[in-house]
């Protein structure tokens, strides 16, 4: 750290250029890598936008973060008082690997496991449980708003957003209809097969809840 704080800006190459400070640059291969990663991170951000806006916002910083990591790696591995003026492809590749194989999994663990998979975590779980318990083949915004307490508290926009998130998770496929409050999604058959045990448990849980509530009101 002490050595890094004493580093001076790089200079150009050649007899006269060695006295002129220049900005850091990527070589051609490293620049190609950065361009491809910028597109990749943009697509990841757009994909997560419908599911977890906090993680999507985090991904939106990856293009700049990648460049800063390249500078850090480059300077750490430099010799002398000034780093070389060109960042090589090897350095950029290792910075990308650190970002994708270390930082990104930790970000997913934080934003998904700790803060919840989606921005409407409880609503999404309630809608998913509703689908499984009733073995629904289709579901609409109107259906969602007639479910349990959490679901009845949703407005039209929230209910539609929840179904769009389940669509993003591979549970549903949209079916076009005329009215906005009656948009319909088809439940993919694989969902019921995959979560058959969960469906029975959810059905039993809901019946027990109804029994307890009914008993407490008598």
């Amino acid at each position: 750290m002490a050595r890094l704080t004493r580093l001076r800006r790089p200079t150009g190459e050649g007899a006269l250029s060695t006295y002129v400070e220049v900005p850091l640059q990527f070589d051609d291969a490293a620049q190609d890598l950065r361009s491809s990663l910028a597109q990749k991170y943009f697509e990841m951000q757009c994909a997560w936008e419908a599911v977890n806006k906090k993680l999507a916002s985090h991904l939106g910083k990856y293009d700049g973060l990648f460049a800063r990591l390249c500078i850090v790696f480059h300077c750490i591995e430099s010799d002398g008082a000034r780093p070389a003026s060109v960042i090589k492809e090897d350095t950029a590749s290792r910075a990308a690997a650190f970002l994708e194989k270390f930082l990104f999994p930790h970000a997913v663990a934080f934003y998904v496991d700790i803060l919840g998979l989606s921005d409407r975590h409880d609503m999404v779980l309630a809608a998913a449980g509703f689908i499984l318990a009733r073995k629904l083949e289709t579901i609409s915004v109107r259906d969602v708003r007639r479910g349990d307490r959490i679901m009845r508290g949703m407005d039209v926009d929230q209910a539609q957003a929840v179904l769009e998130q389940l669509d993003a998770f591979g549970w549903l496929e949209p079916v076009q209809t005329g009215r906005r409050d009656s948009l319909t999604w088809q439940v993919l058959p694989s969902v019921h097969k995959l979560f058959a045990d969960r469906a029975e448990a959810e059905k039993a849980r809901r019946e027990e809840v109804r029994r307890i509530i009914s008993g407490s009101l008598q």
Side-chain angles (χ1 to χ4, degrees):
M1 292 299 296
R3 182 183 69 84
L4 290 175
T5 60
R6 293 193 297 269
L7 283 181
R8 301 171 66 186
R9 294 182 179 181
T11 57
E13 299 179 357
L16 297 178
S17 299
T18 55
Y19 298 100
V20 180
E21 292 183 342
V22 296
L24 281 171
Q25 301 179 65
F26 288 114
D27 67 16
D28 290 343
Q31 182 58 54
D32 289 342
L33 175 61
R34 184 187 180 181
S35 296
S36 66
L37 289 177
Q39 179 64 29
K40 176 181 178 179
Y41 299 147
F42 175 73
E43 292 172 355
M44 290 170 64
Q45 179 186 5
C46 292
W48 276 99
E49 185 70 28
V51 177
N52 189 312
K53 293 185 183 298
K54 294 183 178 65
L55 181 55
S57 177
H58 175 76
L59 286 165
K61 302 174 183 177
Y62 270 28
D63 185 37
L65 179 57
F66 168 70
R68 290 193 291 276
L69 285 173
C70 287
I71 293 172
V72 172
F73 278 46
H74 180 69
C75 289
I76 287 174
E77 297 169 352
S78 66
D79 296 321
R82 300 177 187 270
S85 62
V86 176
I87 298 175
K88 302 291 187 180
E89 179 187 17
D90 175 67
T91 301
S93 296
R94 285 183 286 112
F98 178 75
L99 177 60
E100 295 185 359
K101 296 181 180 179
F102 182 79
L103 295 184
F104 178 65
H106 281 72
V108 172
F110 177 74
Y111 287 105
V112 173
D113 295 344
I114 296 178
L115 298 186
L117 177 60
S118 70
D119 296 319
R120 304 168 183 84
H121 189 62
D122 292 341
M123 295 180 181
V124 172
L125 287 179
F130 183 74
I131 290 170
L132 293 176
R134 300 200 174 195
K135 295 182 171 59
L136 298 180
E137 295 182 358
T138 61
I139 187 170
S140 68
V141 170
R142 187 178 299 176
D143 294 331
V144 171
R145 300 181 68 204
R146 292 174 178 173
D148 63 14
R149 178 183 58 81
I150 293 176
M151 298 165 72
R152 289 194 298 272
M154 301 182 201
D155 59 26
V156 171
D157 290 335
Q158 289 174 324
Q160 182 172 338
V162 165
L163 293 176
E164 288 173 350
Q165 287 177 328
L166 287 173
D167 181 4
F169 294 150
W171 278 52
L172 310 174
E173 285 187 350
V175 178
Q176 296 298 324
T177 57
R179 294 180 52 182
R180 183 166 175 266
D181 65 347
S182 62
L183 293 174
T184 301
W185 277 258
Q186 178 183 358
V187 180
L188 297 180
S190 57
V191 168
H192 292 298
K193 293 180 181 178
L194 185 62
F195 294 97
D197 292 341
R198 176 66 181 270
E200 291 302 318
E202 182 65 20
K203 181 179 179 180
R205 184 192 70 81
R206 289 170 182 261
E207 291 175 350
E208 179 67 8
V209 168
R210 286 195 292 269
R211 185 190 67 78
I212 293 173
I213 292 175
S214 177
S216 67
L217 295 176
Q218 291 178 357

